[in-house]
Amino acid sequence: MSAPYLDELSHDEHALAGKNEFRQMLAGFRQGDSGLIPVLLGLAALVLYFYIRNHVFLTAGNITNLFIQATIFVLLGMAEIWVLLLGEIDLSIGFVAAIGAAVATILVDQNFHWPWFVAFLLALIATTGIGLLSGLLVVFLKLPSFIVTLAGYLGWQGVLIYMVDKENSGGTVPVQEKVLYNLVYGNLSPLGTWLFIGLLILLGSVFMLRSYRNRRSSGLVYRSIYFTIAKIVAMVVAGVWLAIVLNTDRSTFSVIHGMPFAIPIDVAIVLGGTFILTKTKAGRYLYAIGGNREAARRAGINVNFYRLMAFCLAGFTAGVAGLLYSSWLGGISDAIPGGTYVLYAVAAAVIGGTSLVGGRGKMVHAVIGGLVIAVIYNGMALLSVSVAVEYIVIAIVLIAAVTVDSVARRGNTAR
Amino acid sequence: MTPTPGLQGDNVALTSDPRHSGSGVGASPSDFLLSLRGISKSFGAVQAMTNVDLDIPEGQVTALIGDNGAGKSTLIKAISGIWAPSSGTMYWRGNEVHIHTPRAASELGIATVYQDLALCDNLDIVQNMFLGMEDTKFGLLDEITMELATVQTLKDLAVSTVKSVRQRVESLSGGQRQAVAVARAVMRESKLVILDEPTAALGVSQTAQVLALIKRLASRGISVLVISHNLSDVFAVADRIAVMYLGSIVSSGPIANYDTTSAVEIITTGASHHAASSASIK
Ligand SMILES: Nc1ncnc2c1ncn2[C@@H]1O[C@H](COP(=O)(O)OP(=O)(O)OP(=O)(O)O)[C@@H](O)[C@H]1O
Ligand SMILES: [Mg+2]
């Protein structure tokens, strides 16, 4: 039998291969490759359900609000994915984010008055440093990350309480500085919103068309051009819808429209993370280490360095989440539910399709999982259901997501 | 090849074929690609290797044989930089080298296929083939080049049963995984390819392919160190044999010095009672 990927295949045969796309897709689906489809269907079902129960759910104002809530779950989910990819876990990121929030909020408030960029930078350095510390304990003392970050969960909560109380503000430090406030409550102008979305679509299309052309011209098997076209069309439709929604006036008193700054920040982190994971050696090595650490070591990879890097990236991403969180709440309090947020972060990653045993996951998983959690969180609030019900529903969605995932992956290993 | 038991010592050429001129007492490390002198390795109380001397000539196939637990894998892991030996010296073309990391080994030109296949199940064939030595363009992964090279290498090795080089390794059969691991070792321009039981999981035709591949490597001037329990495979491809017994090399020399009977005897007892071949035993 001649291997179908060999380059002496004629172009006719390539086109023929294209007709089997659907079957390949089904095969890939069974391998757990197209794992996004079930969770996207689930997300659509949830949206539909909340819309039917309460039409306010799909108003421009609520959708924007939902996106803002999602940005924080998404960022924390991404932070968690860096370590989940290695088969590790970080239970401290909720409070690490809170430490970042506290550093930034305290440094820009009335006592310190530091410029916002210095405060933000120090906050991110602090959270990255905390990630590094956890990483050092895990990598060099060979302690289990579960325990190290469980200690972090407790310890950083203590540090947070200390920092906030030190400010003598009765357990909360309010945001008074404009830039920090505007991370969530400031908006791009409607034109800026269109330009930002247009630019993303343009870059995405160019990128996809280029990789299609490169594969085709190098004689490798390529997917039919219609796949690329379909993806571009989907991007355009989603982008236009998003721009229209975000540019709709969502205030009853004055005019508020445009994309909240939180969204471009989130998009930048998602794209940056995806870039590292898919285009750089560092990303490839994170997957390799998560898949088979010994194999990675024998391939000459500096395993310890990349493991440390993952913990640092988790800390950094959590820091960004902390900045948005402080902005969203209008301040930082010592009663932040950092524990719940960690669990939401893990849930977001897992609902999106990231594996807890390592080696399998993508940044986009946090986006979708974060949206699912935000939809439930937001929708439940609209229906004025109790927190009790909300927790139970998220629990069920989590179990459903991993069940679908594990069923889809069954029969995946040939041996 | 039907070798007769060697009548002479290791240091005496048995045939006129220069490739069969053996190493021997007093052989200098500079005559060989890789020479080990007095290598020992212990894991705590377990002494896995004791005073191993081994010479690997250029462009020849050296077979390392020995019973289960004799220390063969331990030895090749020391050569591959997986662990540093407890004592002893290694010479690469006569120069003393310290191979303490896998990277150091691959920089010398040593590529190893481990018995416990060191592949990442979650990565695809291309990603595994290039792990640790990815091609880049402007500092970014160059997937197209790597995929083309993978397709070409598999074609050179006549590996035709994998459906796509972009399928994850976890979906491959044992033989296909072995083929990927061998292809990975072959693809880098190696000077010494080490194969730890490369045919153990393979069917008849794939075994024949791997053996043919080993010969092709040697004919390209690449040295091969192959571990195998299958003596007919060994006699089919090897130019030299080294027998390990309880952590030491107890016998080594050109393949013509051995036959199946004497090899089995040395493997199981550490010595050959054939008076004829006793000269090759240290
Ligand atoms: N990491 C380790 N820790 C402790 N002992 C080890 C370790 N690796 C190997 N050994 C011991 O060293 C000895 C030699 O093992 P090795 O794997 O080298 O044998 P082998 O010749 O490759 O056998 P096989 O033919 O079964 O593969 C065995 O007694 C084994 O138990
Ligand atoms: Mg072994």
Side-chain angles (χ1 to χ4, degrees):
Chain A
M1 162 198 159
S2 87
Y5 53 79
L6 295 183
D7 48 4
E8 66 247 24
L9 283 182
S10 71
H11 270 272
D12 282 356
E13 284 171 288
H14 273 305
L16 219 152
K19 281 189 186 147
N20 287 331
E21 287 287 341
F22 186 65
R23 223 187 301 154
Q24 279 175 25
M25 221 172 75
L26 280 183
F29 185 73
R30 251 178 272 122
Q31 276 197 19
D33 279 346
S34 309
L36 290 186
I37 292 170
V39 63
L40 283 174
L41 291 178
L43 181 60
L46 282 170
V47 168
L48 193 66
Y49 170 77
F50 286 120
Y51 175 67
I52 291 170
R53 292 292 306 274
N54 187 342
H55 283 15
V56 174
F57 186 74
L58 283 188
T59 54
N62 192 54
I63 292 175
T64 311
N65 194 17
L66 190 155
F67 276 126
I68 291 173
Q69 289 162 345
T71 54
I72 292 161
F73 297 129
V74 169
L75 283 168
L76 288 173
M78 283 194 289
E80 199 64 61
I81 284 175
W82 287 117
V83 284
L84 289 182
L85 277 179
L86 297 176
E88 310 280 356
I89 197 163
D90 191 334
L91 296 177
S92 68
I93 55 166
F95 285 109
V96 172
I99 295 277
V103 169
T105 312
I106 290 172
L107 288 182
V108 295
D109 83 352
Q110 70 269 43
N111 292 344
F112 287 88
H113 272 307
W114 287 23
W116 63 269
F117 49 89
V118 178
F120 287 13
L121 189 69
L122 286 176
L124 294 177
I125 289 175
T127 59
T128 309
I130 292 175
L132 178 64
L133 181 64
S134 311
L136 287 170
L137 292 174
V138 171
V139 171
F140 290 108
L141 292 188
K142 300 187 173 30
L143 307 179
S145 56
F146 188 95
I147 301 299
V148 168
T149 59
L150 181 62
Y153 172 113
L154 297 169
W156 299 118
Q157 184 173 15
V159 172
L160 174 74
I161 294 171
Y162 180 79
M163 283 171 78
V164 172
D165 283 359
K166 189 93 174 126
E167 281 273 296
N168 266 333
S169 51
T172 42
V173 184
V175 171
Q176 285 145 336
E177 194 272 341
K178 231 177 149 56
V179 175
L180 184 54
Y181 176 83
N182 276 338
L183 287 184
V184 164
Y185 296 106
N187 302 303
L188 287 173
S189 68
L191 179 65
T193 304
W194 278 111
L195 288 178
F196 177 74
I197 290 176
L199 190 72
L200 280 184
I201 293 175
L202 186 71
L203 287 179
S205 309
V206 168
F207 176 76
M208 286 194 290
L209 288 170
R210 259 194 41 166
S211 71
Y212 169 82
R213 195 197 57 199
N214 287 346
R215 281 194 75 82
R216 186 177 174 147
S217 64
S218 61
L220 292 168
V221 168
Y222 55 91
R223 294 187 131 193
S224 142
I225 182 73
Y226 297 114
F227 267 87
T228 311
I229 292 175
K231 278 192 209 160
I232 293 176
V233 169
M235 266 195 326
V236 170
V237 170
V240 169
W241 173 79
L242 192 65
I244 290 173
V245 168
L246 294 176
N247 282 343
T248 306
D249 178 16
R250 50 182 180 267
S251 165
T252 33
F253 311 111
S254 59
V255 180
I256 300 181
H257 51 199
M259 179 185 283
F261 289 124
I263 295 178
I265 294 173
D266 231 48
V267 168
I269 304 280
V270 172
L271 292 182
T274 303
F275 177 82
I276 293 175
L277 283 182
T278 58
K279 298 289 164 203
T280 69
K281 288 189 176 192
R284 176 67 41 88
Y285 296 165
L286 290 184
Y287 284 110
I289 295 167
N292 184 343
R293 195 194 297 174
E294 182 58 19
R297 192 174 85 84
R298 291 185 193 176
I301 295 168
N302 186 343
V303 170
N304 287 347
F305 173 82
Y306 290 102
R307 291 175 74 207
L308 281 180
M309 186 189 82
F311 278 94
C312 290
L313 285 169
F316 174 84
T317 315
V320 179
L323 295 179
L324 293 190
Y325 189 67
S326 176
S327 174
W328 183 49
L329 287 190
I332 183 75
S333 116
D334 58 6
I336 269 189
T340 313
Y341 270 88
V342 174
L343 301 184
Y344 280 166
V346 177
V350 171
I351 288 172
T354 292
S355 153
L356 281 182
V357 294
R360 209 185 289 267
K362 296 173 178 171
M363 287 304 160
V364 71
H365 291 163
V367 176
I368 294 172
L371 276 172
V372 167
I373 291 180
V375 162
I376 297 172
Y377 186 87
N378 177 297
M380 292 280 170
L382 273 187
L383 301 184
S384 357
V385 219
S386 68
V387 178
V389 178
E390 182 192 317
Y391 283 167
I392 292 169
V393 171
I394 293 183
I396 292 169
V397 169
L398 184 60
I399 294 295
V402 288
T403 307
V404 169
D405 194 51
S406 112
V407 170
R409 201 167 290 146
R410 200 165 292 160
N412 188 19
T413 38
R415 289 162 306 127
Chain B
M1 198 184 303
T2 45
T4 48
L7 293 170
Q8 287 109 333
D10 200 356
N11 51 337
V12 179
L14 195 79
T15 70
S16 56
D17 183 349
R19 289 173 56 168
H20 281 173
S21 67
S23 66
V25 185
S28 151
S30 58
D31 299 339
F32 300 97
L33 179 65
L34 178 69
S35 290
L36 312 184
R37 290 290 179 269
I39 299 285
S40 299
K41 173 76 190 173
S42 50
F43 299 102
V46 182
Q47 182 83 14
M49 264 194 302
T50 327
N51 244 332
V52 167
D53 290 353
L54 179 67
D55 291 316
I56 298 173
E58 305 244 11
Q60 293 195 19
V61 179
T62 307
L64 183 60
I65 57 179
D67 224 339
N68 291 122
K72 307 179 295 297
S73 298
T74 308
L75 174 59
I76 62 126
K77 282 177 180 169
I79 301 174
S80 313
I82 298 296
W83 44 52
S86 314
S87 63
T89 326
M90 298 190 198
Y91 300 90
W92 185 259
R93 296 196 161 130
N95 302 315
E96 187 173 341
V97 285
H98 299 275
I99 308 174
H100 288 338
T101 62
R103 187 160 289 265
S106 74
E107 273 162 14
L108 281 178
I110 300 174
T112 308
V113 178
Y114 298 96
Q115 185 174 18
D116 40 345
L117 293 173
L119 297 176
C120 293
D121 277 347
N122 59 328
L123 299 184
D124 65 32
I125 296 178
V126 179
Q127 293 170 337
N128 268 291
M129 293 271 279
F130 279 89
L131 191 61
M133 48 172 190
E134 288 80 3
D135 278 328
T136 55
K137 206 152 118 189
F138 310 120
L140 304 181
L141 297 173
D142 185 356
E143 300 288 352
I144 301 263
T145 306
M146 290 192 277
E147 188 166 337
L148 285 170
T150 302
V151 168
Q152 188 58 46
T153 308
L154 292 183
K155 203 163 81 171
D156 289 348
L157 302 185
V159 177
S160 57
T161 57
V162 295
K163 285 196 211 70
S164 158
V165 290
R166 285 300 181 183
Q167 76 193 100
R168 291 204 187 108
V169 161
E170 69 191 347
S171 67
L172 299 179
S173 76
Q176 290 171 325
R177 289 164 63 86
Q178 187 66 258
V180 170
V182 173
R184 176 181 152 80
V186 171
M187 197 172 48
R188 27 180 122 189
E189 306 272 293
S190 310
K191 300 194 178 67
L192 171 60
V193 172
I194 302 175
L195 304 162
D196 195 350
E197 303 197 23
T199 57
L202 302 190
V204 178
S205 70
Q206 281 186 338
T207 298
Q209 275 172 20
V210 171
L211 296 182
L213 166 69
I214 291 174
K215 282 185 169 161
R216 214 172 312 144
L217 290 180
S219 71
R220 284 193 214 160
I222 299 171
S223 304
V224 180
L225 178 62
V226 56
I227 296 180
S228 179
H229 285 292
N230 185 329
L231 288 181
S232 71
D233 287 0
V234 168
F235 281 104
V237 295
D239 300 305
R240 298 176 55 80
I241 281 184
V243 190
M244 230 177 159
Y245 181 76
L246 298 181
S248 304
I249 302 272
V250 290
S251 170
S252 69
I255 188 110
N257 291 5
Y258 300 86
D259 62 11
T260 315
T261 324
S262 65
V264 168
E265 214 168 84
I266 305 172
I267 288 171
T268 49
T269 65
S272 169
H273 301 296
H274 278 63
S277 58
S278 60
S280 67
I281 296 172
K282 282 199 299 198

